[in-house]
Amino acid sequence: MFVFKAAVVGAGTMGGEIAQVIASSGVPVVLKDVKQDFVETGLRKAEEVTRAQYARLVEKEKVTQEQADTQLEEITGRITGTTEYEGFGDVDFVVEAVPERMPIKQAVFEELDEVTPGHAILASNTSSLAVTEMADATSRPDRVVGFHFFYPASMMRLIEVVEGEETSEETLQAATTFAQQIRKTPIRCGEGPGFVVNRILISAVSEVWRVTDEQGLDVKEVDELIQQSGTAPMGPFYLTDLLGLDTVLHVAEHLNDSHGDRFFVSPAMKELVEAGDLGQKTGKGFYDHG
Ligand SMILES: NC(=O)c1ccc[n+]([C@@H]2O[C@H](COP(=O)([O-])OP(=O)(O)OC[C@H]3O[C@@H](n4cnc5c(N)ncnc54)[C@H](O)[C@@H]3O)[C@@H](O)[C@H]2O)c1
């Protein structure tokens, strides 16, 4: 199935950039959130990312400034914002990117089932939840699939195409092909908690969280040492601030519920989430983002 038009639901940390990736490959995309402000933040993000990508190409003399300006206009022009599912009536593929909470996801899937054409594939960007439970909220469980981008979506190549219990082979093929159409590298995986990448990543980062908590270490010093050692481009606490503390906490809790104490849930992170300090998106997390 070729995707002629797509939609993204949720214009937060991931949604704006996912819409940008889709629009960059030439496919028109509708971006929906619950408030106009949030939609605009997503649209702005898509514009910023495109501008930065083309500024680099101009600097490397791969395109002229005039070509860059035209591309910026064309790419951002393919993204339409809505708060009301306007423009969902003729989409072929939807990526849901709302908060990592099953009740929110199920409500969105139920709505998507009503507003999209019957042939449309409903995909979730979930980091760890069961696609099958989202599919249960629809009348087309065979057309529901996981489609997991990584942060930042405009740069990271991988997409995990996640098979739910009722996902059809046709849907898996179509999602794999769409990932390639938007110039990503798909891998197929089962819907075990954390799928492949987050299960590995969180198991490693868990140990850093655990030791920091047990020994009362300073998170900034831990980050600095990890970065200086060259083990990772940035420390795990700073990375968590960028990803969103609520999202990371839910993934860690889900892995802990499923696999026990070898996945650590950081009390410090939990406290920050309870206080509404979710990282860069709220201006404060482990760090102050001013
Ligand atoms: N943050 C990451 O690094 C990352 C990486 C990969 C996957 N994910 C997954 O992507 C999904 C979204 O994560 P995020 O970090 O972008 O979250 P976020 O909190 O930054 O953004 C979620 C957006 O969804 C909107 N929203 C809530 N209910 C909605 C509804 N009913 N309809 C439309 N929009 C609605 C919110 O207003 C918000 O703008 C989660 O499932 C998460 O696990 C996140």
Side-chain angles (χ1 to χ4, degrees):
M1 185 184 87
F2 189 84
V3 175
F4 291 97
K5 184 177 173 187
V8 176
V9 184
T13 309
M14 295 301 288
E17 278 201 51
I18 294 174
Q20 192 271 347
V21 169
I22 295 172
S24 293
S25 71
V27 179
V29 54
V30 192
L31 177 62
K32 186 208 179 267
D33 208 300
V34 286
K35 284 192 186 160
Q36 190 57 31
D37 274 6
F38 301 157
V39 173
E40 270 155 29
T41 305
L43 294 174
R44 236 183 350 262
K45 180 79 192 167
E47 183 178 337
E48 274 166 24
V49 167
T50 313
R51 204 181 282 284
Q53 283 175 344
Y54 278 91
R56 279 195 294 276
L57 293 177
V58 171
E59 207 177 287
K60 290 185 186 162
E61 298 183 357
K62 302 236 175 190
V63 298
T64 64
Q65 186 58 52
E66 200 185 346
Q67 287 169 324
D69 292 343
T70 309
Q71 282 300 317
L72 177 68
E73 206 174 305
E74 285 186 3
I75 292 169
T76 53
R78 284 188 204 110
I79 312 175
T80 322
T82 178
T83 54
E84 297 292 341
Y85 288 119
E86 217 171 289
F88 276 63
D90 58 350
V91 296
D92 306 303
F93 199 100
V94 184
V95 181
E96 164 278 308
V98 302
E100 189 73 344
R101 293 287 181 130
M102 188 54 80
I104 304 179
K105 302 233 183 240
Q106 282 184 323
V108 167
F109 271 80
E110 202 177 327
E111 288 166 7
L112 286 172
D113 198 34
E114 281 174 24
V115 297
T116 59
H119 76 272
I121 289 176
L122 308 181
S124 173
N125 188 43
T126 179
S127 306
S128 69
L129 299 176
V131 174
T132 303
E133 287 179 44
M134 296 173 218
D136 284 347
T138 74
S139 62
R140 57 180 108 174
D142 58 316
R143 298 194 160 266
V144 176
V145 67
F147 201 67
H148 184 211
F149 288 82
F150 292 85
Y151 177 90
S154 60
M155 289 173 79
M156 303 298 277
R157 303 293 296 269
L158 195 70
I159 289 183
E160 288 174 331
V161 175
V162 185
E163 181 175 0
E165 275 170 29
E166 293 182 70
T167 313
S168 69
E169 183 56 33
E170 197 188 351
T171 299
L172 287 165
Q173 288 284 359
T176 303
T177 307
F178 182 53
Q180 289 163 336
Q181 187 184 337
I182 59 173
R183 305 191 194 103
K184 297 290 183 191
T185 306
I187 56 161
R188 276 203 198 181
C189 54
E191 67 177 345
F195 312 132
V196 175
V197 175
N198 276 337
R199 183 155 172 184
I200 296 168
L201 177 71
I202 302 284
S203 78
V205 171
S206 244
E207 284 313 298
V208 182
W209 291 335
R210 194 192 307 271
V211 171
T212 306
D213 182 65
E214 283 173 359
Q215 300 187 16
L217 304 178
D218 182 285
V219 297
K220 293 181 182 98
E221 282 177 22
V222 172
D223 270 358
E224 224 171 281
L225 281 170
I226 288 176
Q227 194 180 9
Q228 277 169 13
S229 73
T231 316
M234 67 184 81
F237 294 98
Y238 193 74
L239 176 66
T240 303
D241 265 21
L242 296 185
L243 302 180
L245 267 68
D246 53 337
T247 302
V248 176
L249 180 69
H250 291 140
V251 177
E253 283 178 337
H254 188 48
L255 282 160
N256 177 274
D257 288 345
S258 312
H259 298 293
D261 272 352
R262 63 199 172 96
F263 287 94
F264 184 74
V265 177
S266 157
M269 196 187 306
K270 216 168 169 172
E271 259 175 45
L272 287 165
V273 171
E274 277 162 11
D277 294 329
L278 308 182
Q280 194 185 43
K281 64 184 165 186
T282 58
K284 192 170 176 296
F286 289 110
Y287 291 77
D288 199 331
H289 298 272

